[in-house]
Amino acid sequence: MTTHSGSVTKAEHFRKLHDPGPQPLVLVNVWDAASARVVQEAGASAIATSSSAVSWSLGYRDGDHVPWGLAMAALGRIAHATRLPVTADIETGYGRTDDELRATIHAVLDAGAVGINIEDSAEDPLTDVGEQSRRIAVIRATADERGVPLFVNARTDTYLSGRFPDKAYEETLRRAESYLTAGADGIFVPGVVDLHVLHQISSRIAAPLNALAGVGSPSPAELHDAGVRRVSIGGNTAKAAYAKVAKVASEILADGNWAGLAGTRSHAEMDGLFQQGPKYSL
């Protein structure tokens, strides 16, 4: 397997986007080529996929239910639709064996992505910290063999899962330390937007902290001041889009009200998203 020099350049650029600066890296997560192009057009610095949104768009529930081939094909279309660096949400890796995990990383790199999210929620309460660290080491070694400085964002569901009600903070730090030692580059802690807690976490880990935000969350500036360097909105982009579809459909089917279609993009504008883009085929 070979790696194009462009992937290395994008990977290095994506890493630099996590450096301390006046504002965090804000990622508006996407699920297909069109959403990637729209987010790029809006001024994004990078593109991040949402595993839940990709799964829903393909007819599957979130949580490692979408078939590997469909997930990787979707990622390929997204990566080839944008000039920006792409980071892929690969859930728990789309496979439990080391060979399956390596296959996923090779597919991610072949698609043109330069970052991943890998989560530790495959088991109850969570994947054993030693086992998850070992898997992260496999990912790191696989990417290094390809010569790509893949940004490994290690997600831990210590807060989101609600499985550590009295020791989520301590467990988060324990896992973060182990994951970083294994080769992770960043730590993603969804489920917590308390600025005090985020500040505590960010001050105790030697890596960029990623927070998950949405309606009611602190602003990117406030999160930045708490030490967060990366902000994601996950499946919320798709939820907003599908809510719009539901509203339009309900109004039209109920009383033939076309008002919900006001302000939509023209056919030419949508086609225009792809006039200059590279082609991608399975």
Side-chain angles (χ1 to χ4, degrees):
M1 298 180 183
T2 58
T3 298
H4 193 277
S5 61
S7 293
V8 175
T9 300
K10 278 189 176 181
E12 292 171 343
H13 174 62
F14 185 60
R15 282 180 169 275
K16 291 180 180 178
L17 292 176
H18 295 80
D19 290 347
Q23 59 187 10
L25 169 62
V26 179
L27 299 171
V28 179
N29 300 71
V30 307
W31 62 95
D32 63 7
S35 58
R37 275 295 178 90
V38 169
V39 169
Q40 172 184 291
E41 185 184 71
S45 300
I47 298 294
T49 69
S50 160
S51 62
S52 59
V54 169
S55 296
W56 298 330
S57 73
L58 295 172
Y60 293 87
R61 294 188 297 124
D62 185 25
D64 291 308
H65 293 289
V66 64
W68 183 90
L70 290 181
M72 293 301 105
L75 174 61
R77 288 190 290 271
I78 290 167
H80 283 73
T82 177
R83 65 177 183 274
L84 299 174
V86 174
T87 181
D89 183 346
I90 62 170
E91 304 190 63
T92 62
Y94 298 119
R96 299 312 303 163
T97 70
D98 287 0
D99 284 345
E100 290 171 334
L101 185 57
R102 290 189 191 95
T104 294
I105 300 307
H106 282 303
V108 164
L109 294 173
D110 289 343
V114 295
I116 61 162
N117 276 3
I118 180 75
E119 61 191 65
D120 60 9
S121 58
E123 301 171 10
D124 189 3
L126 293 181
T127 302
D128 174 78
V129 65
E131 171 61 13
Q132 185 67 1
S133 298
R134 191 191 65 78
R135 287 169 59 78
I136 289 172
V138 170
I139 292 171
R140 179 84 279 149
T142 304
D144 288 349
E145 289 168 4
R146 290 284 296 272
V148 179
L150 182 75
F151 192 98
V152 179
N153 201 35
R155 168 176 154 175
T156 181
D157 282 5
T158 45
Y159 282 90
L160 188 64
S161 66
R163 293 162 180 165
F164 302 93
D166 301 318
K167 58 176 183 176
Y169 174 71
E170 294 78 6
E171 184 66 17
T172 299
L173 295 182
R174 185 174 80 94
R175 287 175 177 267
E177 181 180 8
S178 184
Y179 297 167
L180 292 172
T181 299
D185 301 289
I187 299 297
F188 182 22
V189 189
V192 55
V193 290
D194 183 289
L195 294 175
H196 176 67
V197 175
L198 288 170
H199 178 71
Q200 286 185 309
I201 295 172
S202 67
S203 65
R204 293 287 301 278
I205 62 173
L209 176 63
N210 186 177
L212 180 68
V215 175
S217 298
S219 69
E222 291 172 316
L223 291 168
H224 171 266
D225 289 345
V228 173
R229 290 198 211 162
R230 172 167 160 171
V231 181
S232 308
I233 64 171
N236 289 319
T237 327
K239 292 175 188 175
Y242 291 135
K244 177 67 174 180
V245 173
K247 184 175 185 295
V248 170
S250 296
E251 291 176 350
I252 291 174
L253 294 172
D255 56 14
N257 183 351
W258 311 111
L261 297 175
T264 57
R265 287 171 172 259
S266 70
H267 193 93
E269 286 174 322
M270 289 303 299
D271 273 352
L273 292 173
F274 300 101
Q275 285 180 353
Q276 304 302 321
K279 295 182 179 180
Y280 177 77
S281 59
L282 297 178

